[in-house]
């Protein structure tokens, strides 16, 4: 992103998911374009927290905007291992705890799909981390509000949602799936209405800040999430289309505030008129 513009213009940067050790990710193909979105099954490819600290952190630590690490693990112990190392990095003010990963000790179930699982990993990481803790929630649950309240009760400072929805795509001619893993995570504009609904529900259920995401492509999309109760928004899939979209969103929100004679974006948060 920094090859296109100074990323310090952004309100913050959520970094790629990091695990305790190197992960090669899933076999190719692991990305597929779908109508109004995309599927991915990258599989958390990264070189591990130690590589990040030694090779990536020195290059980015002086950006003049908050850097937030997305922390991943297969067990509670792995989450704590990464968190304790991140805790020592002065220029990382927060982590985003991804609780949608397989919990190996429970036979592959993701921590984030049950209240006890979400509570256990949040409680453990909270005890090991003394900065801002944001928990990223999975939408693949019966009631996302209950999961949000569960992590709030264990010390989360905020929640971000939604992560991707489980989906799949098939090549009708070859009769084969488009992803090596058959299923993957659906993101992009196709999920926006559902993501918006979930953000609205969670914002009413918890007292901590909510960060909204899911198909945000422009300022109007971002403003909808703010009106639904999000205190901030994230942009991900849209960057594949145009890396300048985040800056366009910032400019668009400024113009909206001027048109509606508002002095601060905080006036938009939770401003949905029912």
């Amino acid at each position: 992103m920094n090859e296109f513009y100074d990323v310090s213009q952004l309100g913050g940067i959520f970094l790629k998911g990091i695990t305790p050790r190197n992960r090669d990710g899933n076999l190719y193909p692991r990305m597929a374009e779908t109508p109004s979105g995309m599927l991915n099954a990258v599989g958390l490819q990264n070189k591990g927290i130690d590589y990040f600290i030694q090779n990536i952190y020195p290059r980015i630590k002086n950006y003049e905007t908050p850097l937030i690490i997305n922390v991943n693990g297969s067990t509670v112990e792995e989450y704590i291992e990464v968190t304790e190392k991140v805790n020592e990095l002065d220029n990382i003010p927060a982590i985003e705890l991804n609780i949608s990963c397989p919990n190996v000790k429970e036979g592959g179930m993701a921590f984030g799909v049950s209240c006890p699982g979400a509570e256990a990993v949040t409680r453990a990481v909270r005890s090991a981390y003394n900065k801002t803790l944001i928990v990223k929630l999975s939408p693949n649950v019966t009631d996302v509000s209950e999961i949000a309240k569960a992590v709030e009760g264990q010390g989360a400072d905020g929640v971000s949602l939604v992560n991707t929805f489980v989906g799949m795509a098939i090549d009708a001619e070859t009769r084969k799936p488009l992803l090596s893993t058959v299923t993957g995570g659906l993101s992009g504009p196709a999920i926006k209405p559902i993501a918006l609904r979930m953000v609205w529900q969670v914002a009413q259920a918890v007292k901590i800040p909510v960060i909204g995401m899911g198909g945000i492509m422009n300022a109007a999309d971002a403003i909808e999430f703010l009106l639904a109760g999000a205190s901030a928004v994230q942009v991900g899939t849209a960057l594949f289309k145009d890396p300048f979209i985040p800056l366009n969103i910032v400019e668009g929100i400024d113009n909206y505030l001027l048109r509606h004679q508002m002095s601060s974006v905080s006036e938009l948060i939770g401003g949905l008129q029912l």
Side-chain angles (χ1 to χ4, degrees), residues 131-153:
K131 301 177 188 177
T132 299
L133 171 59
I134 301 162
V135 179
K136 187 171 187 178
L137 304 181
S138 169
N140 301 301
V141 296
T142 303
D143 188 346
V144 70
S145 297
E146 290 301 313
I147 307 292
K149 288 190 287 187
V151 301
E152 179 183 35

Side-chain angles (χ1 to χ4, degrees), residues 65-132:
T65 192
L67 302 170
I68 301 169
I69 288 182
N70 182 280
V71 173
N72 294 265
S74 297
T75 64
V76 170
E77 292 77 16
E78 287 190 0
Y79 278 104
I80 293 175
E81 182 181 348
V82 177
T83 299
E84 288 178 340
K85 292 179 178 180
V86 174
N87 208 29
E88 302 301 316
L89 303 178
D90 292 337
N91 289 33
I92 305 291
I95 61 173
E96 183 182 48
L97 193 66
N98 184 356
I99 59 173
S100 300
C101 296
N103 177 357
V104 173
K105 289 185 177 179
E106 292 185 4
M109 179 179 289
F111 284 106
V113 300
S114 72
C115 288
E119 287 174 336
V121 68
T122 303
R123 180 168 58 248
V125 170
R126 177 75 286 172
S127 66
Y129 189 67
N130 57 23
K131 301 177 188 177
T132 299

Side-chain angles (χ1 to χ4, degrees), residues 22-45:
N22 177 77
R23 283 180 63 111
D24 292 330
N26 294 318
L27 296 174
Y28 290 90
R30 55 192 193 182
M31 294 178 69
E33 188 172 358
T34 62
S36 297
M38 61 175 276
L39 288 164
N40 95 82
V42 172
L44 291 173
Q45 178 182 345

Side-chain angles (χ1 to χ4, degrees), residues 216-227:
I216 296 174
M217 301 293 293
N218 51 49
D221 291 336
I223 290 167
E224 289 179 36
F225 276 86
L226 295 170
L227 291 172

Side-chain angles (χ1 to χ4, degrees), residues 11 210 219-233 249-258 260-272:
V210 174
D221 291 336
I223 290 167
E224 289 179 36
F225 276 86
L226 295 170
L227 291 172
S231 297
V233 297
I249 288 174
V250 172
E251 182 180 358
I253 291 175
D254 283 342
N255 291 336
Y256 181 93
L257 296 177
L258 287 172
H260 291 270
Q261 298 180 324
M262 294 179 172
S263 59
S264 170
V265 73
S266 62
E267 295 179 47
L268 289 173
I269 299 171
L272 181 65

